[in-house]
Amino acid sequence: MTAPTPDDLRAASQIVVFSGLNPREVQTLLAQATVIDLEPGQSLFRQGDAAAAFFIVITGWVKLYRITPAGDEAVLHVLTKGESFAEAVAFVGGRYPATASAATDARVVMIPAHHVINCVREMPDIAIAMIASTSQHLHRLVQRVEQLSAQSGLQRVAEFLAGLCPNMDGSCTISLPYDKTLIAGRLGLKPESLSRVFAKLRSVGVDVRASDVVVSEVAQLRSLVASDRIRARGSSNGRHGVPC
Amino acid sequence: MTAPTPDDLRAASQIVVFSGLNPREVQTLLAQATVIDLEPGQSLFRQGDAAAAFFIVITGWVKLYRITPAGDEAVLHVLTKGESFAEAVAFVGGRYPATASAATDARVVMIPAHHVINCVREMPDIAIAMIASTSQHLHRLVQRVEQLSAQSGLQRVAEFLAGLCPNMDGSCTISLPYDKTLIAGRLGLKPESLSRVFAKLRSVGVDVRASDVVVSEVAQLRSLVASDRIRARGSSNGRHGVPC
DNA sequence: TCGGGCAATTGATCTAGGTCAAATCGTTTT
DNA sequence: AAAACGATTTGACCTAGATCAATTGCCCGA
């Protein structure tokens, strides 16, 4: 835990939470920021801890997850450069509802809750910025609930990959942002199942080799999100005789 | 859509979003409130609509849900008396991420977004109240993601029922707050599956008859949330005999 | 009281994913 | 380079829950 470098400050000041704030406000907020370097697996806070700060990821990946009463892990979100988290809880001084830990080497900026609260008195815009960013988190979770309760694993994987593709159609090559075990968790699947889904996707021109993915037809991938069904093809005899 | 009665105002002023605000602030906020009476199925807004207001439920039940690309419905939340929703989106002027419609006859208070924003300029505390309440919504969704991605249907039903029981142990009689189809949706199950889960629960002393539920041992119900396994019909013999 | 209509249960399958276990493969350590 | 490790894949299985279909029960209007 050290003082932030100018680079850190520059990175932090450009993130979404702060859009809408003027430079002076941002600077004031960041005045009390500190930087934390994390190794994979190291955690920032655990679910149930009193919320004492909120965070901004500078580099690397940070995983937010919960441990269920039965001991399983449910991944809520995996964040990277430019994303912030725990703004709202820090603000209201509750308890973190989840655990945050580094999925890779990571560098995060930490802003103490008490400081944010002090700042708000003089600059109400800060509160508005926090609401905006919390609203986005809400939206993301809403989408996650939708995915989990009404989409198949294949659809979730397709949506995830499609989200990584820069273009809407044509072909592209992307690389998986973090390891497959974590991707599986992020999508509510077991690693084995993720692996099998990748295998299935090969038949629609999605080729996963280690962490490199070649999508030969992005539009087709996207269409899976809504429809799911993959028609058998390629391998000689699809004994299923798939209909039109 | 009419002006709120004194009763409405009284009900609205006691809700969670407003705790932390002083009476004058609450009154100012409510100055522009209107009341809407809904019949079952009628909707307040649809996902994608521009967010123009936020809402407080006075009576009845309101369902928040999304329609997936594939056309299925994913229930996000079912709210009742004293609960508010859409604060954050209204505040930042985005689009509603979900549809809200009445599950029963319902009466809700609507507060226009522009008015909230005006109020905030003079009373920053309002922004803080909004963050607090949004933070709770976040927390709830986090729990939902956890449930969906790491709990069995039986565990979710047990947790739901346990949440309705006023006492932590002993026995109690409760009544289901809304129809079973909606409960099923709320728990990410099909009605048929919910029905079967109820049947299973009968073997641990949970008796569901129409919308009346008799729980003979609340503690046992709660224990299911973490463990799931139901041992065959030993009704009153609460011994933890290890199954083979 | 009768019958339509819908919520709810129940039975009979089907299947996506989970579980368990073994085989690969790429890295890292010694 | 050999050994060791972890991450990924694959195969064989099994279970929770979905699906489809048939009843049953209940409320409501004529």
Side-chain angles (χ1 to χ4, degrees):
Chain A
M1 170 142 50
T2 64
T5 68
D7 269 355
D8 293 332
L9 293 177
R10 193 169 326 116
S13 66
Q14 285 172 261
I15 72 164
V16 190
V17 218
F18 296 153
S19 66
L21 298 185
N22 66 47
R24 211 188 72 257
E25 289 167 328
V26 173
Q27 201 190 332
T28 313
L29 258 181
L30 287 173
Q32 301 241 332
T34 55
V35 165
I36 304 179
D37 281 301
L38 298 164
E39 289 174 16
Q42 233 182 315
S43 65
L44 278 169
F45 54 76
R46 307 196 156 274
Q47 85 192 57
D49 288 355
F54 86 94
F55 303 84
I56 301 166
V57 182
I58 303 294
T59 60
W61 292 89
V62 172
K63 169 175 78 163
L64 293 178
Y65 65 97
R66 302 239 313 167
I67 298 297
T68 69
D72 301 306
E73 161 179 322
V75 177
L76 297 169
H77 194 32
V78 183
L79 306 122
T80 190
K81 187 184 184 76
E83 299 187 281
S84 59
F85 56 102
E87 309 91 331
V89 226
F91 204 99
V92 302
R95 294 180 172 277
Y96 294 116
T99 300
S101 71
T104 63
D105 283 304
R107 188 172 175 86
V108 306
V109 163
M110 172 172 91
I111 300 179
H114 64 79
H115 182 242
V116 182
I117 292 174
N118 290 341
C119 289
V120 166
R121 305 225 176 288
E122 357 234 297
M123 317 178 186
D125 281 359
I126 290 175
I128 295 177
M130 305 288 256
I131 295 181
S133 125
T134 304
S135 169
Q136 284 183 15
H137 291 314
L138 259 179
H139 197 342
R140 193 179 300 112
L141 279 174
V142 161
Q143 288 178 137
R144 223 147 145 41
V145 170
E146 172 183 317
Q147 288 185 332
L148 288 171
S149 64
Q151 279 178 223
S152 69
L154 190 143
Q155 290 174 310
R156 302 200 289 268
V157 175
E159 191 164 33
F160 178 79
L161 290 178
L164 295 172
C165 295
N167 39 338
M168 290 301 284
D169 48 24
S171 70
C172 72
T173 301
I174 55 190
S175 75
L176 300 176
Y178 33 82
D179 69 77
K180 296 183 184 173
T181 308
L182 182 51
I183 294 178
R186 171 45 247 274
L187 298 173
L189 292 174
K190 298 289 155 185
E192 297 95 318
S193 298
L194 176 63
S195 196
R196 291 184 227 274
V197 170
F198 280 152
K200 259 196 204 173
L201 285 176
R202 202 156 291 135
S203 73
V204 280
V206 176
D207 207 274
V208 182
R209 276 212 169 63
S211 67
D212 300 311
V213 184
V214 179
V215 180
S216 66
E217 184 43 79
V218 177
Q220 192 175 4
L221 180 60
R222 289 186 194 275
S223 76
L224 283 181
V225 177
S227 74
D228 197 289
R229 279 272 158 264
I230 286 189
R231 68 188 79 261
R233 87 124 84 111
S235 51
S236 48
N237 170 19
R239 56 165 174 166
H240 236 303
V242 179
C244 47
Chain B
M1 171 139 54
T2 65
T5 68
D7 269 356
D8 293 332
L9 293 177
R10 193 171 326 117
S13 65
Q14 286 173 261
I15 72 163
V16 191
V17 218
F18 296 152
S19 66
L21 298 184
N22 66 46
R24 210 189 73 258
E25 289 167 329
V26 173
Q27 201 189 333
T28 313
L29 258 181
L30 287 173
Q32 300 243 333
T34 56
V35 165
I36 304 178
D37 281 301
L38 298 164
E39 288 173 17
Q42 233 182 314
S43 65
L44 278 169
F45 54 77
R46 308 197 155 272
Q47 86 193 56
D49 288 355
F54 86 93
F55 303 84
I56 301 166
V57 182
I58 302 294
T59 59
W61 292 88
V62 173
K63 169 174 78 165
L64 292 178
Y65 65 97
R66 303 241 312 167
I67 298 297
T68 69
D72 301 305
E73 160 179 322
V75 177
L76 298 169
H77 193 34
V78 183
L79 307 120
T80 190
K81 186 182 184 80
E83 300 188 280
S84 59
F85 56 102
E87 308 91 333
V89 227
F91 204 98
V92 302
R95 294 181 172 277
Y96 295 115
T99 300
S101 71
T104 62
D105 283 304
R107 188 173 174 86
V108 305
V109 162
M110 172 173 90
I111 300 179
H114 64 80
H115 182 243
V116 182
I117 292 173
N118 290 342
C119 290
V120 166
R121 303 221 180 290
E122 356 233 297
M123 318 177 185
D125 280 359
I126 290 175
I128 295 178
M130 305 290 255
I131 295 181
S133 125
T134 304
S135 170
Q136 284 183 16
H137 290 316
L138 259 179
H139 197 342
R140 193 179 300 113
L141 279 175
V142 161
Q143 289 178 138
R144 220 142 148 44
V145 170
E146 172 184 316
Q147 288 184 333
L148 289 170
S149 64
Q151 279 178 226
S152 69
L154 190 143
Q155 290 175 310
R156 301 200 289 269
V157 175
E159 190 163 33
F160 178 78
L161 291 178
L164 295 174
C165 295
N167 39 337
M168 289 302 283
D169 49 24
S171 69
C172 71
T173 302
I174 54 189
S175 75
L176 300 176
Y178 33 84
D179 69 76
K180 295 183 184 173
T181 308
L182 182 51
I183 294 178
R186 170 47 245 274
L187 297 173
L189 292 173
K190 297 290 155 186
E192 297 95 318
S193 298
L194 177 64
S195 195
R196 291 185 228 273
V197 169
F198 280 151
K200 261 197 202 170
L201 285 175
R202 202 154 291 134
S203 73
V204 280
V206 176
D207 207 274
V208 183
R209 275 211 169 63
S211 67
D212 299 310
V213 184
V214 178
V215 180
S216 65
E217 183 43 78
V218 176
Q220 192 175 5
L221 180 60
R222 289 186 194 275
S223 76
L224 282 181
V225 177
S227 74
D228 197 291
R229 275 277 154 264
I230 286 188
R231 71 195 88 266
R233 47 109 189 108
S235 53
S236 56
N237 179 11
R239 281 278 152 231
H240 281 240
V242 180
C244 20

